[in-house]
Amino acid sequence: MKAESSVNVTLRAIEPEDLDLLYQIENDQQLWHVGATNVPYSRYTLHDYIATSSDDIYADRQVRLIIENAEHETVGICDIVRFDPQHLRAEAGIVIMNPYRQQGYAKAALRQLAYYALNILHLHQLYAVIASDNEAALCLFRHAGFEHETQLRDWLFDGHNYTDAVLMQRIL
């Protein structure tokens, strides 16, 4: 495990070369219960998304960024979605690939994502909806300055069972 002070990540735009990574993450059924989708995406759909994304949060209502470590290895993806331009808020999300978990990459990436949201996008707040039994994610967002705002009963459905979720919020 790396010491937290030695963890360095870079957030960068999605490139066409990231298609396989995006395909892998979006179609990982083990992640569907933590997101807003539960259907597979085709390579064509994801290729089209990469090709047509304007990288403008006002046009796309989202920004997706690749997380790279100091060795320029892709360790995950983070995003700002459900952007609301009237209220200057959006939902934050992050996925770290299995081999890179528990090494401080998520914390470093979330810190940079919040900085980007405040200083570049000029958002007022970020929020996250996290399954109440996802202790790792709850701890990550808590350490990143997000506060537990409310419990959402039976908020997430995995196809078989409903799970409570926690709405966490960070005023930037």
Side-chain angles (χ1 to χ4, degrees):
M1 183 178 292
K2 294 182 181 183
E4 224 173 273
S5 61
S6 68
V7 175
N8 186 21
V9 297
T10 301
L11 304 182
R12 64 165 177 81
I14 293 178
E15 299 289 347
E17 296 79 19
D18 298 314
L19 177 60
D20 289 338
L21 170 74
L22 196 57
Y23 183 81
Q24 175 187 348
I25 289 173
E26 293 293 350
N27 291 301
D28 183 346
Q29 292 183 20
Q30 294 179 352
L31 298 174
W32 286 357
H33 72 283
V34 299
T37 187
N38 59 357
V39 296
Y41 284 96
S42 69
R43 285 186 187 281
Y44 177 81
T45 299
L46 294 172
H47 178 273
D48 189 51
Y49 166 76
I50 293 170
T52 60
S53 176
S54 68
D55 294 325
D56 177 354
I57 195 166
Y58 283 91
D60 298 337
R61 297 290 194 253
Q62 66 179 348
V63 175
R64 305 196 75 188
L65 301 163
I66 298 296
I67 306 165
E68 287 186 345
N69 64 14
E71 292 78 31
H72 303 288
E73 298 169 314
T74 299
V75 300
I77 188 168
C78 61
D79 49 25
I80 297 173
V81 297
R82 294 179 183 78
F83 169 60
D84 182 332
Q86 179 181 357
H87 302 292
L88 295 174
R89 68 174 167 242
E91 184 175 356
I94 187 167
V95 173
I96 301 296
M97 296 177 350
N98 282 335
Y100 300 100
R101 290 183 181 166
Q102 302 295 315
Q103 298 179 42
Y105 293 122
K107 187 173 182 179
L110 196 51
R111 187 177 327 122
Q112 283 195 24
L113 190 68
Y115 177 88
Y116 176 74
L118 173 64
N119 295 295
I120 306 301
L121 300 178
H122 306 292
L123 297 185
H124 174 64
Q125 59 183 289
L126 287 174
Y127 66 91
V129 177
I130 302 167
S132 59
D133 60 355
N134 188 342
E135 286 300 324
L138 291 169
C139 183
L140 167 68
F141 278 84
R142 219 176 2 261
H143 281 91
F146 285 71
E147 296 180 9
H148 181 292
E149 293 299 328
T150 192
Q151 188 85 7
L152 303 166
R153 293 186 55 215
D154 288 348
W155 198 256
L156 303 172
F157 184 63
D158 66 5
H160 302 287
N161 300 301
Y162 286 95
T163 304
D164 290 355
V166 175
L167 174 66
M168 298 189 78
Q169 177 184 39
R170 178 173 171 188
I171 304 298
L172 304 168

